Amino acid sequence: MTEQSKDSVYQTDALIAEDIDSYLETHQHKTMLRFITCGSVDDGKSTLIGRLLYDSKMIFEDQLEALSSDSKKVGTQGQDIDFALLVDGLAAEREQGITIDVAYRFFNTEKRKFIVADCPGHEQYTRNMVTGASSADLAVVMIDARKGVLVQTRRHSYLCHLIGIRNIVLAVNKMDLVDYDQDTFDRIVADYAAFAEEIGIESFTAIPISGFKGDNITLAPSENTPWYEGPSLVDHLESVEVLSDIAADMPFRMPVQWVNRPNLDFRGFSGLIASGQVKPGDAVRALPSGKTSTVKSIVTFDGELDEAQAGQSVTITLADEIDCSRGDVLCVADDPPETADQFEATLVWLNDEDLSVGRGYWLKLGTQTVSATVQQPKYRVDVNTMDELAAKTLSLNDIGVAEVYSDKPLVFESYAENRTMGGFILIDKITNATVAAGMLNFSLRRSQNVHWQATDITREHHAQMKNQTPRVLWFTGLSGSGKSTIANEVEKKLALMNRHTFLLDGDNVRHGLNKDLGFTEADRIENIRRVGEVARLMTDAGLIVLTAFISPFRAERRLVRDMLEDHEFIEVFVDTPLEVAEQRDVKGLYKKARSGELKNFTGIDSPYEAPENPEITVNTVAMTPEEAADHIIQQILPLK
Amino acid sequence: MKALENNEGVSMTAKLTHLERLEAEAIHIIREVAAEADKPVMLYSVGKDSAVMLHLAKKAFYPSPPPFPLLHVDTTWKFKAMYDLREKAAKDAGMELLVYQNPEAKERGINPFDHGPLHTDMWKTDGLKQALNHYGFDAAFGGARRDEEKSRAKERVFSFRTASHGWDPKNQRPELWNLYNAKKKKGESIRVFPISNWTELDVWQYIQLEEIEIVPLYFAAPRPTFIYEGGLFMADDIDRLKEVMGEVPEITERSVRFRTLGCFPLTGAVESEASTLSEVIQETLLTTTSERQGRVIDKDAGGAGMEKKKQEGYF
């Protein structure tokens, strides 16, 4: 360990001891920078972070004691302190000797507080790197001086660039192991520069360091690299501009998080300002409604503010009573963001389960949550070669570009313009997992030009003329469970009651509307989506629609439910055990499936997800089709 | 915090300080939970981190009171001064205070002297799970920080717990930008840590700048103390000490303070003369042992103590 790293920047003990108040005064005015470290396995990321913590006295004596005993037990540095042990937290990875998740670390220098996301280098953990990078102002890309630019270096740099990090530091580490050789350093920098230009990285700062020995970490040039003329790593980290300071100079946008309404006289809109500045008297617009007003006051616990800017959490009151709630965006009146429901987006897939094209996911952007579907990707990117490859779906750690359709208009800006207004996550509606990170590129022109045609005879008119409440009775169950038979019985009974109905049958629809579709998972999803749309049009026409489709996936039934008005979708679970259905085998399909002649057959080699809370369940073992139909009629009679 | 000083009407974008940023981030997190959870609650331990968290909640919803109650999972062994501040703080915030004591621990007379780690398991770990189930809370704010301990450094801001309150470190949801996914199934719950990114120094400095009231035990004063198994403790309730220890320990008056507050017989005191906030911060910065060291809990089960506790459902 060289002594030089302990000087200057961290030399604050004396000030703390002599004049604590002036020390605190200094600390109070520090700014904050978030950065990530990424690189290949064994590039020495954890060691570098351990070194920064150690040098800034963020390691206490008892931790150091534990560290040196751990170092002797499992360390890789002989009798020396293994800084990596300090930051590799979880027991599992301590045993494996690798970092498997993002760890956040903190240290201070004289000028700044730093939050470091330590990101893993393994390919399978790309999702963690994207997570760490999403909130970072800067990325330190580590390279082992002995190995030079590797495939992983390229991947990490690409990801950092993709997620919009403009400040990239190329830390050429382990310089001590190449005898601090300038030619080695220069060659690596040249290699990296060529690659950086290829993927659009405009600039980067290269620093030769040794995380283990401490060279050029806090002081530059180290006596071992007299040829190096740039800043030390810490000097550079202290001088880089922070993202949200840049955002303060952009147009004002604040996603509304919460409407604050303690009494009838006060109505405030609370949120974290995403960009720009705002002051009382400013003309603002609420989106998507487009209504305008002026800012009356900026209310905080500490009194009203004359002005607020990006990065502050505030509550804004307006001069007029305009309709505005969580999910809306307050913005500067004459320069609002766009509103659209069809986009092109770049997606990073974060989940073990592949993207289901056409399936409904929750999309959260700012404080807006909508239902959205992803179309078949235009391409996915090979992150090692940057080649664009054809893709039918996206799997864990894939990056691709696809069109995204939302069921309601979203207020947005391109991610390149505004991270908060263009970055989103996709959430699986069944498992609730965060399955993808997305960045909106632009809205599709057709969504701007195709408007809803307002018709004079409304769906209410249609329903009134038929003297009935439109419904969709959605029969779901295994093949041979009796869906079509029972639906047919129900329709006959409804007809006798003078109800206007229509039965959509699975087999029949596949002869016409959906004859282009097969039985793969993607085709089954599209099949159901189309049937859902048709059913919706029929309810607009005032009809009671009966559908008989296996519809094996919960997510697709959910998708149709979400398309319709509340309470309009009635899920009827035709509950027949597989053995019974297989025994009936009316169409001889089970036999074919068992013999392998028929692929993707529900119940045999494709799953059936039974409804969790169906409105109606009929058990066809205990009931005849006639009894089942009566039971269903009983259940829906109160609905008129 | 006053973020901007407007110089004679000249518009300027001041660079926000790290504390202003941390404050805005915490308020954003607290509001997200209030907006998306069905029934949130703020866990309130009466310590300094809780005090900061409560203060941030007041700020997040001003001029309304925070739209959730405070929950204290009590062990009956807290310092008297903590009970005093607890009532006052809730009242000042205009919030409902819920106190939960594990009935089984109460009935069996579980205490730190006779029952060792079982004291924490039953009163705190089980007590917390029972309280959340009892009231049906689906989101609970906690004052944990990532700088406290190694396994905390990898904790998400929104940390998911199964219906049995287990924590699976390998199966956490990725957290991108400041978008938090609060969706969950019935029975599952979230622990939310709004001050994840604060350090101990940040907490102290914020308390000073915001003039937040904290338990006086954080400041040095002459107090009755005794030595037990090599540690220095305060005799907060002599009658109860006698009851469980079988005798009154030898009590000496010393000038002491506490760096962290828990159950009085588990929380070691340090000899100190630091009686003002500045002095406490000074001592904290110059000290050479980490904050949680005064607590017995992290030393159980070797280096992985806290991680193991978390998987079992401890906060």
Side-chain angles (χ1 to χ4, degrees):
Chain A
M1 216 176 310
T2 52
E3 280 303 306
Q4 59 170 354
S5 61
K6 288 189 184 165
D7 299 343
S8 70
V9 276
Y10 298 119
Q11 203 52 277
T12 53
D13 276 14
L15 185 60
I16 294 169
E18 282 156 24
D19 189 354
I20 181 69
D21 290 324
S22 72
Y23 171 80
L24 289 176
E25 172 75 13
T26 312
H27 184 70
Q28 186 192 330
H29 292 101
K30 285 178 188 171
T31 54
M32 185 160 92
L33 183 90
R34 293 171 192 251
F35 70 95
I36 68 164
T37 54
C38 42
S40 308
V41 192
D42 301 330
D43 280 344
K45 298 183 305 290
S46 295
T47 303
L48 174 67
I49 295 170
R51 153 77 57 186
L52 290 168
L53 299 182
Y54 180 81
D55 284 352
S56 66
K57 305 210 183 298
M58 296 304 284
I59 298 176
F60 292 107
E61 212 165 69
D62 56 324
Q63 290 174 321
L64 201 59
E65 217 171 274
L67 180 65
S68 67
S69 91
D70 278 3
S71 294
K72 283 171 196 143
K73 227 184 305 165
V74 284
T76 56
Q77 304 294 342
Q79 290 300 302
D80 284 323
I81 288 174
D82 187 350
F83 289 111
L85 292 177
L86 191 71
V87 292
D88 288 346
L90 301 182
E93 69 191 24
R94 240 186 286 169
E95 282 153 25
Q96 293 172 24
I98 50 163
T99 314
I100 57 164
D101 204 337
V102 189
Y104 295 90
R105 295 285 162 188
F106 309 87
F107 69 97
N108 292 292
T109 63
E110 293 292 273
K111 291 181 185 149
R112 272 192 170 154
K113 165 172 171 156
F114 294 94
I115 301 182
V116 194
D118 183 13
C119 294
H122 296 60
E123 182 160 25
Q124 63 267 42
Y125 293 115
T126 294
R127 67 172 214 167
N128 293 329
M129 218 208 92
V130 170
T131 303
S134 72
S135 57
D137 299 291
L138 175 146
V140 176
V141 176
M142 310 258 323
I143 287 192
D144 184 331
R146 296 168 302 171
K147 297 178 185 160
V149 178
L150 300 178
V151 166
Q152 281 167 334
T153 316
R154 299 160 68 97
R155 179 167 65 236
H156 295 145
S157 303
Y158 173 74
L159 287 173
C160 290
H161 181 65
L162 181 83
I163 213 92
I165 296 178
R166 295 284 167 262
N167 295 299
I168 290 180
V169 174
L170 184 73
V172 182
N173 193 23
K174 304 196 181 180
M175 286 300 293
D176 52 315
L177 299 182
V178 295
D179 298 327
Y180 301 99
D181 177 41
Q182 184 180 5
D183 289 344
T184 305
F185 176 74
D186 288 346
R187 200 180 60 245
I188 291 171
V189 173
D191 280 357
Y192 189 80
F195 158 74
E197 198 186 334
E198 216 176 284
I199 64 165
I201 293 175
E202 284 166 11
S203 65
F204 64 92
T205 304
I207 306 176
I209 63 165
S210 166
F212 182 54
K213 301 281 184 192
D215 299 283
N216 295 325
I217 304 293
T218 57
L219 274 186
S222 133
E223 58 194 27
N224 295 315
T225 58
W227 44 266
Y228 174 65
E229 289 172 349
S232 71
L233 178 62
V234 167
D235 281 342
H236 184 68
L237 294 176
E238 284 182 334
S239 63
V240 162
E241 194 170 11
V242 178
L243 206 69
S244 55
D245 290 334
I246 300 168
D249 294 327
M250 305 192 314
F252 169 67
R253 276 104 178 77
M254 185 185 88
V256 175
Q257 266 192 300
W258 178 264
V259 179
N260 194 333
R261 196 121 217 226
N263 55 58
L264 291 175
D265 301 327
F266 186 94
R267 189 172 144 91
F269 304 101
S270 304
L272 177 64
I273 301 175
S275 63
Q277 303 155 51
V278 65
K279 40 184 200 304
D282 280 0
V284 290
R285 187 181 294 272
L287 289 177
S289 77
K291 296 275 168 36
T292 57
S293 182
T294 51
V295 174
K296 193 168 129 199
S297 59
I298 305 168
V299 179
T300 75
F301 183 85
D302 306 296
E304 294 190 4
L305 300 181
D306 299 330
E307 191 174 21
Q309 69 180 50
Q312 284 182 282
S313 282
V314 294
T315 297
I316 289 174
T317 65
L318 301 177
D320 312 280
E321 280 253 345
I322 63 169
D323 191 31
C324 185
S325 52
R326 176 174 167 87
D328 291 358
V329 176
L330 280 181
C331 60
V332 57
D334 58 7
D335 188 6
E338 261 185 89
T339 303
D341 59 6
Q342 297 189 7
F343 313 90
E344 188 204 89
T346 303
L347 295 171
V348 182
W349 204 255
L350 308 171
N351 202 258
D352 290 327
E353 199 177 314
D354 291 354
L355 160 70
S356 275
V357 170
R359 173 174 289 183
Y361 293 96
W362 296 120
L363 182 158
K364 186 171 183 186
L365 184 154
T367 58
Q368 308 171 81
T369 302
V370 297
S371 184
T373 56
V374 181
Q375 307 310 300
Q376 183 171 318
K378 292 179 176 167
Y379 59 85
R380 70 177 178 87
V381 178
D382 179 327
V383 289
N384 297 329
T385 61
M386 314 306 143
D387 289 338
E388 294 174 5
L389 309 173
K392 286 214 150 99
T393 181
L394 295 173
S395 306
L396 179 64
N397 294 319
D398 276 353
I399 294 165
V401 169
E403 291 183 0
V404 175
Y405 302 165
S406 61
D407 70 341
K408 274 189 286 186
L410 277 172
V411 183
F412 83 103
E413 280 175 290
S414 75
Y415 183 79
E417 273 177 78
N418 191 321
R419 278 200 202 188
T420 311
M421 298 296 297
F424 64 89
I425 53 173
L426 291 181
I427 300 166
D428 186 291
K429 288 187 177 180
I430 305 294
T431 65
N432 294 321
T434 303
V435 294
M439 289 151 279
L440 293 180
N441 299 330
F442 48 80
S443 65
L444 302 175
R445 201 148 294 282
R446 63 175 173 270
S447 84
Q448 290 167 342
N449 295 333
V450 180
H451 296 284
W452 285 102
Q453 182 66 44
T455 49
D456 290 335
I457 307 298
T458 61
R459 69 195 317 273
E460 287 75 22
H461 278 102
H462 289 298
Q464 272 166 20
M465 281 191 287
K466 296 185 175 60
N467 190 30
Q468 63 186 25
T469 313
R471 297 283 166 202
V472 174
L473 289 171
W474 189 277
F475 291 77
T476 173
L478 293 168
S479 174
S481 60
K483 296 180 299 296
S484 297
T485 313
I486 297 169
N488 195 42
E489 283 297 322
V490 173
E491 191 179 25
K492 281 196 292 191
K493 287 175 191 287
L494 288 171
L496 285 173
M497 295 157 72
N498 286 321
R499 298 286 177 247
H500 298 253
T501 59
F502 194 85
L503 174 58
L504 284 166
D505 183 81
D507 288 343
N508 297 353
V509 169
R510 281 191 177 273
H511 287 298
L513 178 67
N514 292 350
K515 72 174 169 194
D516 56 326
L517 300 177
F519 289 88
T520 62
E521 188 170 322
D523 280 359
R524 284 170 171 238
I525 293 170
E526 177 59 14
N527 182 43
I528 298 305
R529 191 192 68 79
R530 289 185 196 173
V531 171
E533 290 288 355
V534 171
R536 176 162 77 164
L537 288 172
M538 289 183 166
T539 58
D540 282 351
L543 295 176
I544 294 171
V545 185
L546 299 92
T547 68
F549 294 83
I550 299 172
S551 47
F553 304 119
R554 274 183 210 125
E556 279 64 65
R557 298 194 298 265
R558 178 68 188 248
L559 179 78
V560 179
R561 187 185 287 272
D562 289 344
M563 279 179 199
L564 297 162
E565 303 285 315
D566 286 350
H567 311 299
E568 227 166 65
F569 183 86
I570 296 173
E571 193 167 16
V572 181
F573 179 31
V574 182
D575 187 5
T576 306
L578 180 64
E579 313 85 70
V580 178
E582 189 166 355
Q583 207 178 354
R584 291 179 190 158
D585 206 5
V586 192
K587 299 168 197 160
L589 297 174
Y590 283 97
K591 211 172 147 204
K592 284 190 185 171
R594 285 289 181 201
S595 71
E597 206 178 317
L598 204 57
K599 290 279 173 214
N600 297 321
F601 194 75
T602 301
I604 309 297
D605 55 352
S606 181
Y608 178 76
E609 298 169 359
E612 280 171 332
N613 293 303
E615 276 79 2
I616 301 172
T617 301
V618 289
N619 183 328
T620 65
V621 178
M623 294 181 202
T624 65
E626 172 90 25
E627 286 165 354
D630 282 335
H631 176 71
I632 293 164
I633 297 281
Q634 290 294 325
Q635 300 289 309
I636 61 169
L637 260 188
L639 304 174
K640 202 170 81 173
Chain B
M1 246 175 298
K2 197 113 171 62
L4 279 177
E5 272 146 37
N6 208 336
N7 242 338
E8 293 153 18
V10 182
S11 167
M12 53 176 241
T13 50
K15 287 186 171 35
L16 298 181
T17 68
H18 69 292
L19 283 172
E20 286 164 342
R21 270 190 207 294
L22 291 171
E23 179 190 72
E25 174 187 80
I27 289 175
H28 175 253
I29 292 164
I30 292 170
R31 287 173 177 164
E32 278 300 285
V33 174
E36 297 214 344
D38 292 328
K39 200 175 176 192
V41 68
M42 181 165 279
L43 298 181
Y44 181 68
S45 73
V46 212
K48 66 181 197 309
D49 300 305
S50 278
V52 164
M53 193 167 61
L54 172 58
H55 187 76
L56 291 163
K58 290 185 337 197
K59 286 195 159 192
F61 301 101
Y62 177 86
S64 304
F68 39 76
L70 294 172
L71 172 65
H72 183 219
V73 179
D74 190 17
T75 64
T76 73
W77 286 95
K78 301 289 174 189
F79 293 92
K80 262 187 297 200
M82 294 171 73
Y83 292 118
D84 295 343
L85 182 65
R86 180 181 79 182
E87 309 298 324
K88 183 173 183 296
K91 194 160 162 270
D92 290 351
M95 293 166 79
E96 186 189 0
L97 172 70
L98 304 170
V99 175
Y100 188 88
Q101 299 169 346
N102 180 352
E104 197 195 337
K106 204 171 177 178
E107 197 185 295
R108 288 173 56 184
I110 301 296
N111 70 71
F113 293 98
D114 300 329
H115 304 102
L118 190 65
H119 173 80
T120 304
D121 282 350
M122 289 194 67
W123 282 114
K124 294 177 83 173
T125 309
D126 293 346
L128 174 61
K129 290 186 210 170
Q130 288 170 4
L132 296 180
N133 290 342
H134 175 76
Y135 293 105
F137 293 123
D138 65 337
F141 294 104
R145 307 190 316 268
R146 284 171 173 157
D147 78 327
E148 277 179 75
E149 201 267 341
K150 265 200 259 189
S151 87
R152 291 254 196 238
K154 310 205 164 184
E155 181 71 278
R156 301 289 196 266
V157 174
F158 278 48
S159 177
F160 280 78
R161 304 303 161 102
T162 59
S164 56
H165 299 279
W167 179 70
D168 178 2
K170 283 199 174 164
N171 203 15
Q172 295 191 83
R173 295 176 184 175
E175 268 175 4
L176 294 110
W177 300 289
N178 55 9
L179 291 175
Y180 302 101
N181 170 2
K183 303 262 182 205
K184 61 200 169 311
K185 289 181 189 154
K186 214 172 152 57
E188 291 176 344
S189 58
I190 331 172
R191 310 287 159 87
V192 182
F193 307 110
I195 59 168
S196 280
N197 288 325
W198 297 49
T199 61
E200 188 183 7
L201 175 58
D202 296 333
V203 166
W204 280 120
Q205 184 145 38
Y206 191 72
I207 288 170
Q208 187 179 43
L209 290 172
E210 297 284 304
E211 297 171 359
I212 298 169
E213 186 172 0
I214 53 172
V215 181
L217 294 168
Y218 284 114
F219 304 106
R223 295 188 169 100
T225 62
F226 63 97
I227 306 281
Y228 178 72
E229 290 186 354
L232 178 61
F233 296 93
M234 174 176 157
D236 196 49
D237 185 336
I238 292 170
D239 293 341
R240 279 190 90 180
L241 277 179
K242 189 181 169 190
E243 206 177 290
V244 292
M245 295 177 83
E247 53 172 12
V248 178
E250 193 188 319
I251 291 172
T252 315
E253 191 174 273
R254 294 181 176 88
S255 178
V256 295
R257 67 179 190 88
F258 294 84
R259 295 179 61 195
T260 157
L261 291 177
C263 295
F264 74 81
L266 279 181
T267 308
V270 287
E271 288 200 71
S272 167
E273 299 294 332
S275 59
T276 67
L277 256 178
S278 290
E279 285 166 7
V280 168
I281 298 174
Q282 184 175 37
E283 209 172 83
T284 305
L285 289 174
L286 294 178
T287 197
T288 53
T289 52
S290 67
E291 183 185 9
R292 296 192 70 88
Q293 211 226 10
R295 292 208 191 170
V296 188
I297 189 165
D298 289 351
K299 292 185 191 159
D300 298 349
M306 179 62 79
E307 188 181 338
K308 196 166 158 286
K309 284 258 175 286
K310 273 168 65 178
Q311 286 176 3
E312 289 162 1
Y314 179 73
F315 211 77

